[in-house]
Amino acid sequence: MNHSLCIPAILFATLIATSTRAHDGHSHAPSPETQHEIVRLNTGPPRTTLVVQRDETQLERPAIASVFEPFRNKLAIRHDRDHLFVESNGMPDHSMMVGITAWQQQVPLPQKYTGNNAWSIPLHPVPAKRPMLTKDNFFRGAIALAANGVPIFNPIKNDGKTDTLKAGELDQWGGHCGRADDYHYHIAPVHLEKIVGVGNPVAVALDGYPIYGYNDPNGMPPTDLDHLNGHKGPDGKYHYHATTTFPYLNGGFYGEVVERDGQVDPQPRAQGVRPALRGLKGAKITGFEQPAQDSYIVRYEVYGKPRSVEYTVAKDGSATFQFVTPQGTETEHYTPRQRGGGEGRRDAEPPRRNEPSGQRRGGNGQSREGRRSGRGGRPDSMRPSADANPRNAGGPRGPQPGDGPRQPWILVHADEIDLDHNNIISRDEIVGEATKAFAGYDTDNDEQLTQSELSGRGGSRSAMAGFLKGHAKEIDRDNDGIVSKKEAISNAERMFQKIDTSGDGEIQPDELEASRRK
């Protein structure tokens, strides 16, 4: 930013009436020429001089920005005094998904990592007093950003134990798609050296330190990497390196970062348009094509039989998918999820039995519109029908004749509990729901619910409000006739732990489905 100062150039002259002789031999009276100049300056029009001060933070590009310079045509780079902001759509120029043999049926969709949802990298990284390791932390979200604007996640997936590379979940570039159809890498993108140049960083960790390929800038492989997969170069500056074995890139953070809910905070959020799907047994992705702008084809086989997902993304973020199988073609259209509004809306047209290449329609021949019920899958996944799923489009309902076994409360109300709509129920979400329900009944705010308070309607629209009221005797563990806030939260945590079989603090879609009583 340029700052201008206006300085009036008016000279105020003061003629001091003193003796024309200050001391013997020296006259201090102004000469006629000086008297004329004083009169001119005091009677003439004012003159303004502009003094421009340059703000160096606006003129000097941060050195770390050069990492992303080779992709300047795809990225938007800006900065303030403390952070570099990188905007991208998360889509690389290379093909994606080819070679994956453990696939959850997600496909790459452009993301809006822009504005307030841009990637943020500290310009003045500070070494951490106690560096945190990726083998024990950060199993969610990104830990670095590649030079092409594609995020890089922990090589260990969010179950805290599976090496994604060894599990066959990554393509030839070391990437795959998350539950929001967001493409990201899980290992260092060393292939980018062909573009950024050998000896230059291929990524930047979210603590602000660069990540190089297998060799140092001098072309030699490093021999003194620490437990974080980094070291200080000849210039005395710290940086990380890629390796062919775990941790593959930065094995933690040499610099200070904030960990919140299992990930580096802050960081952008991927925004999906459809629910997460199940893994597809016997699948192998064989091809990726982009026949036109914003149109893509993912080709795959299931036990050797060819299939494909063909999809197009509109400017408004809506997406139309065609799932081509030997049984026919299923077409689905999704509109973007609204923040706080849940999943995208689906218009589905699955194939009729006697119309293998056609589209499935409602009884009146019109396309069927409705909300997708959540954690199911494609026909390949044998997703249950709405009648078999207690979390159908009409929402939860009371037990009905023929409903079968009573299902776990969390399974029935999963869509309501999953506030961030990422198809994962966290411990914080279930505790938050219990806290919200409790507060609705606790009219005197004493953190205790009496029978009188529980007999009221409650002031909260929480999904757990009815459960709290109907199961008060079970929740009251000390049998004192009062439900305390601690008892309500403890009950919610016990319900959560029964379904969270992995004990990682998150209920994954497969754990939720496994809780269903047959």
Side-chain angles (χ1 to χ4, degrees), residues 349-511:
E349 299 182 46
R352 296 178 180 178
R353 289 186 178 181
N354 59 353
E355 191 180 16
S357 60
Q359 299 174 342
R360 186 166 52 191
R361 301 178 183 275
N364 59 2
Q366 300 298 316
S367 64
R368 212 163 46 174
E369 177 178 320
R371 181 181 176 190
R372 188 186 174 112
S373 60
R375 295 157 174 85
R378 305 263 72 77
D380 293 331
S381 304
M382 299 299 292
R383 69 170 179 258
S385 67
D387 293 336
N389 189 350
R391 296 187 292 113
N392 53 44
R397 57 185 174 83
Q400 302 291 320
D403 273 356
R406 189 169 187 172
Q407 300 299 334
W409 185 89
I410 292 180
L411 173 64
V412 175
H413 295 271
D415 285 335
E416 299 163 76
I417 305 169
D418 185 16
L419 297 180
D420 58 6
H421 305 287
N422 64 350
N423 293 299
I424 298 173
I425 298 174
S426 68
R427 185 185 304 276
D428 289 343
E429 285 174 325
I430 191 69
V431 169
E433 195 68 32
T435 303
K436 179 181 177 182
F438 187 93
Y441 288 110
D442 188 17
T443 56
D444 57 5
N445 297 316
D446 65 349
E447 297 194 350
Q448 292 185 335
L449 300 184
T450 63
Q451 290 300 319
S452 176
E453 287 174 313
L454 284 169
S455 63
R457 296 186 60 184
S460 169
R461 297 187 63 183
S462 165
M464 192 173 282
F467 181 90
L468 190 63
K469 184 174 184 177
H471 296 264
K473 290 184 178 180
E474 303 167 42
I475 299 172
D476 179 19
R477 303 282 281 189
D478 58 8
N479 297 313
D480 62 354
I482 294 175
V483 176
S484 68
K485 184 177 180 179
K486 182 178 179 180
E487 287 174 326
I489 292 176
S490 295
N491 180 75
E493 289 181 328
R494 287 193 298 273
M495 294 165 59
F496 181 89
Q497 291 168 358
K498 287 181 180 179
I499 300 179
D500 179 25
T501 55
S502 65
D504 63 354
E506 293 181 338
I507 295 178
Q508 304 288 342
D510 56 344
E511 291 176 315

Side-chain angles (χ1 to χ4, degrees), residues 36-65:
H36 177 75
E37 182 66 13
I38 291 173
V39 172
R40 186 187 70 79
L41 290 173
N42 280 280
T43 59
R47 184 177 62 192
T48 301
T49 301
L50 297 178
V51 179
V52 179
Q53 295 181 334
R54 297 187 302 176
D55 186 342
E56 296 299 329
T57 62
Q58 295 296 322
L59 299 177
E60 295 182 0
R61 191 176 180 86
I64 199 69

Side-chain angles (χ1 to χ4, degrees), residues 99-293:
I100 291 176
T101 56
W103 183 42
Q104 291 186 328
Q105 304 185 75
Q106 309 299 140
V107 296
L109 290 180
Q111 299 294 324
K112 293 183 178 180
Y113 300 133
T114 59
N116 293 332
N117 199 46
W119 296 97
S120 175
I121 297 172
L123 293 179
H124 312 291
V126 178
K129 294 180 180 179
R130 295 181 178 180
M132 300 180 71
L133 303 179
T134 55
K135 69 176 183 178
D136 302 316
N137 307 278
F138 308 108
F139 300 130
R140 299 181 62 188
I143 60 173
L145 183 65
N148 59 357
V150 175
I152 310 175
F153 283 34
N154 192 328
I156 301 177
K157 65 187 297 183
N158 55 13
D159 63 3
K161 56 186 178 182
T162 302
D163 183 319
T164 52
L165 179 62
K166 292 181 178 180
E169 295 185 10
L170 306 183
D171 62 19
Q172 58 187 324
W173 314 108
H176 70 179
C177 291
R179 288 180 169 84
D181 287 314
D182 53 307
Y183 185 82
H184 54 262
Y185 302 120
H186 277 271
I187 60 176
V190 292
H191 59 276
L192 295 182
E193 279 191 319
K194 295 181 180 179
I195 300 174
V196 303
V198 176
N200 292 319
V202 295
V204 179
L206 294 189
D207 61 356
Y209 292 98
I211 302 173
Y212 286 79
Y214 299 127
N215 297 329
D216 266 323
N218 61 11
M220 301 297 292
T223 58
D224 58 345
L225 295 183
D226 59 21
H227 64 298
L228 299 173
N229 242 30
H231 68 161
K232 290 183 178 180
D235 58 359
K237 296 181 179 179
Y238 189 88
H239 60 260
Y240 303 104
H241 274 281
T243 52
T244 57
T245 57
F246 186 86
Y248 305 111
L249 66 164
N250 56 308
F253 291 104
Y254 180 80
E256 290 183 349
V257 294
V258 175
E259 187 273 337
R260 182 172 288 115
D261 295 330
Q263 66 182 28
V264 177
D265 185 76
Q267 68 172 276
R269 178 179 175 180
Q271 193 74 13
V273 298
R274 59 182 187 143
L277 306 177
R278 300 175 181 172
L280 181 57
K281 292 184 178 180
K284 178 181 179 181
I285 298 180
T286 57
F288 181 87
E289 303 171 19
Q290 186 174 358
Q293 184 176 359

